[in-house]
């Protein structure tokens, strides 16, 4: 999918763990991992808003378009 999610980059910059972010946003660490690893099919605006608030960023800091990005397949 050509939409790349940069949650891991922002987590590293903020020195925040996945568990801490999940708690602040109100989602499970497993669901955050799905988003972080590019396996999510959709993101609710309310979740995007909570992520932006918790990470003090804009939606464009979390999501970017990358033409020709590989599709992640997990078996």
């Amino acid at each position: 999918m050509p939409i790349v999610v940069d949650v891991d980059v922002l987590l590293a910059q903020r020195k925040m763990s996945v568990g801490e972010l999940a708690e602040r946003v109100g989602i499970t660490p497993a669901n955050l991992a799905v988003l972080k690893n590019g396996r999510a099919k959709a993101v609710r605006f309310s979740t995007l808003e909570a992520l932006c608030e918790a990470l003090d960023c804009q939606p464009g800091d979390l999501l970017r378009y990358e033409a020709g990005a590989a599709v992640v397949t997990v078996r």
Side-chain angles (χ1 to χ4, degrees), residues 8-54:
D8 53 346
V9 173
L10 290 166
L11 281 172
Q13 290 173 348
R14 306 305 192 267
K15 295 179 174 57
M16 188 183 300
S17 70
V18 171
E20 181 182 351
L21 180 59
E23 186 176 316
R24 288 185 184 192
V25 172
I27 62 175
T28 66
N31 283 340
L32 183 55
V34 168
L35 177 64
K36 187 173 85 74
N37 295 324
R39 296 189 314 258
K41 299 291 183 199
V43 180
R44 290 185 176 147
F45 281 137
S46 59
T47 302
L48 185 58
E49 179 183 356
L51 285 166
C52 288
E53 185 176 331

